[in-house]
Amino acid sequence: MTVIGRRRLLAAAGGLALAGATATACGTNTGRNTTGSGPALAQWYHQYGEPGAQQAVRRYAAAYKKANVSVQWRPGDYDRQTAAALLTDSGPDVFEVNGPLLEQIQGGQVADLTDLVAPVKDDFNPAVLAPKIWRDRIWGIPQTVDTQVLYYRKSLLEEAGVQPPQSVDELVDAAGKLTTDKVKGLFLGNDGGVGVLSGTPLTAAGLSLITEDGKPGFDDPAAARVLAKIRQLYADRSLLLGAPTDWSDPAAFVQGLTAMQWSGLWALPQITKALGDDFGVLPFPKDGPHGKPTVPVGAYASAVSARSTHPAAAKAFAKWLWIDRTDFQQDFALSYGFHIPARLSLAKRARQLQQGPAAEAVRLATEHGYAEPLLWTSADRNAYQDALSRIIKDGAHPETELRAVLRKVEAELTRVKNT
């Protein structure tokens, strides 16, 4: 597959890093090169799956003339490697960050980039910029936006007399009507949506994981109601389970195993090639009177190590690449996979995003995008995912499960606010 790298930020994945990988991150293999003009800077990326991406970022670095930038591609558990390296003097100067940004901010491990971003702040997709902000300061520059949408097969819906669903109730009803002996109505992943949905159903019900004032955002009966409907999809046997590939790959959709599939924007070129114009894209539909259409978005950000030997030079390079060089930003988003530039102006004028389902996906991400908030920690995520699994797959009582998650989230918020 070509989407392993960037889809990590939209669905928690992964396993533990090997001890050797962490040791390498803490050792002398930093990729620094002291030859050439200007200060030597090390830049780290996680291992992207798209062919050509590694060569592209090396080309960008080589084009910078004010420092000697060496690029490292970091396979394995990138977040853990980076966290360990930032505690040493041999870590990166500039690096990608997604998951552990709050800990790195509170630990004084990343530099404040507010002054770099402020002049163009309003041009960044606000949903992906928000998780990079802590106490009104900006700590990372979003690179590209990934999003997930609901793909539906126009011909199959028309044959069944089903309209594209605009609410979760309509989604449940449509999935049932579209299910036959040969085709399932909906594919949310081989686990029934446990791994990919995250807070999407809650947001669609008008709630949130964490409110803007830093409180749990799903202490509401609407949360249990919407998750019960996801359970109904599973119980009704209208979900495709056990597909040859999981939700991030569109194979089940293009092969006709399912009439609707939740997947990433990165799948759109493959779907277009296979189905032509016989498909459309939708947000996750709203639920209840206070609900809203919802699409999850995420973005790796470029950060600067607070322990960099050359902090001013590292900031200057980050600004040059991810703010000034809009041509490189657009190239990175659309030449090696299919993603949305983090800058609204670039997304608006990108040729590949101006028509059809691609243009609609950009509109949905701009108007209805939400991202996991900075205060949503890995402990919160694990507790919620475990509860979601019990609700969807085992039929556990949603209210009971969510009460336990709320207690965990409240304790985590107290911890991180007092750190």
Side-chain angles (χ1 to χ4, degrees):
M1 288 188 58
T2 63
V3 297
I4 292 174
R6 303 194 201 197
R7 75 167 186 252
R8 288 177 62 241
L9 58 91
L10 283 170
L16 298 175
L18 296 175
T22 302
T24 299
C26 298
T28 59
N29 183 23
T30 64
R32 294 182 188 273
N33 182 353
T34 57
T35 62
S37 61
L41 301 176
Q43 184 185 27
W44 283 18
Y45 290 87
H46 81 284
Q47 186 177 22
Y48 286 88
E50 293 95 341
Q54 183 175 9
Q55 292 79 7
V57 297
R58 292 185 185 279
R59 175 167 51 85
Y60 306 155
Y64 190 63
K65 303 305 181 184
K66 296 182 179 180
N68 183 10
V69 182
S70 57
V71 172
Q72 271 207 42
W73 216 240
R74 307 294 298 187
D77 191 332
Y78 175 83
D79 290 343
R80 183 171 293 186
Q81 291 181 40
T82 305
L86 291 175
L87 298 175
T88 75
D89 291 328
S90 57
D93 298 284
V94 181
F95 63 100
E96 286 188 317
V97 64
N98 181 49
L101 184 57
L102 179 62
E103 289 95 345
Q104 291 164 356
I105 294 169
Q106 293 182 324
Q109 297 168 357
V110 291
D112 183 347
L113 304 182
T114 306
D115 292 345
L116 306 186
V117 181
V120 293
K121 179 181 177 182
D122 292 342
D123 193 35
F124 280 95
N125 183 307
V128 296
L129 183 61
K132 321 305 179 191
I133 298 175
W134 174 246
R135 293 179 177 170
D136 298 323
R137 309 302 292 176
I138 301 171
W139 303 89
I141 307 172
Q143 297 176 172
T144 63
V145 177
D146 275 318
T147 189
Q148 298 161 5
V149 292
L150 181 64
Y151 292 93
Y152 67 95
R153 188 79 174 266
K154 291 179 180 179
S155 59
L156 294 181
L157 268 66
E158 289 172 1
E159 289 171 10
V162 172
Q163 294 296 315
Q166 304 299 312
S167 69
V168 175
D169 288 328
E170 291 182 8
L171 179 66
V172 174
D173 183 63
K177 290 180 178 178
L178 291 164
T179 297
T180 68
D181 292 340
K182 296 181 179 180
V183 179
K184 289 291 187 179
L186 177 62
F187 186 39
L188 296 174
N190 285 324
D191 59 4
V194 172
V196 67
L197 289 181
S198 186
T200 301
L202 302 181
T203 308
L207 307 175
S208 61
L209 295 172
I210 305 291
T211 63
E212 292 185 2
D213 58 352
K215 298 178 181 178
F218 53 98
D219 188 6
D220 189 291
R225 286 197 295 269
V226 71
L227 295 186
K229 294 174 184 179
I230 307 301
R231 161 62 186 176
Q232 184 180 343
L233 284 164
Y234 189 94
D236 288 349
R237 300 183 182 274
S238 55
L239 292 181
L240 175 64
L241 303 172
T245 57
D246 214 342
W247 67 269
S248 59
D249 190 307
F253 185 66
V254 301
Q255 292 171 11
L257 301 179
T258 181
M260 300 182 289
Q261 177 174 337
W262 187 253
S263 190
L265 179 64
W266 54 77
L268 194 146
Q270 187 176 342
I271 293 173
T272 301
K273 182 177 180 180
L275 301 180
D277 62 357
D278 187 22
F279 76 97
V281 296
L282 295 168
F284 195 90
K286 65 181 181 179
D287 186 65
H290 304 294
K292 57 186 178 182
T294 298
V295 293
V297 296
Y300 276 91
S302 185
V304 172
S305 172
R307 298 185 70 140
S308 171
T309 306
H310 307 286
K315 287 184 179 182
F317 171 67
K319 176 181 181 295
W320 174 84
L321 180 55
W322 295 114
I323 294 178
D324 300 340
R325 289 304 300 259
T326 54
D327 54 339
F328 287 164
Q329 294 158 37
Q330 187 157 319
D331 179 67
F332 187 64
L334 290 163
S335 298
Y336 319 98
F338 202 72
H339 315 274
I340 303 173
R343 302 277 289 276
L344 298 174
S345 59
L346 295 183
K348 185 176 181 180
R349 68 173 183 253
R351 174 185 53 80
Q352 302 94 320
L353 302 174
Q354 290 181 350
Q355 295 181 346
E360 177 66 4
V362 172
R363 184 187 71 80
L364 295 175
T366 303
E367 296 180 6
H368 304 299
Y370 92 96
E372 286 191 352
L374 185 67
L375 290 174
W376 186 251
T377 69
S378 59
D380 296 330
R381 188 177 300 108
N382 291 338
Y384 176 76
Q385 292 295 117
D386 290 345
L388 195 60
S389 179
R390 290 188 289 268
I391 292 168
I392 294 176
K393 301 173 74 173
D394 302 332
H397 202 264
E399 288 90 344
T400 302
E401 293 292 332
L402 287 173
R403 278 198 296 270
V405 178
L406 280 166
R407 289 194 293 270
K408 178 65 178 178
V409 172
E410 288 168 349
E412 274 292 281
L413 287 171
T414 300
R415 181 186 67 82
V416 298
K417 289 178 180 179
N418 293 329
T419 298

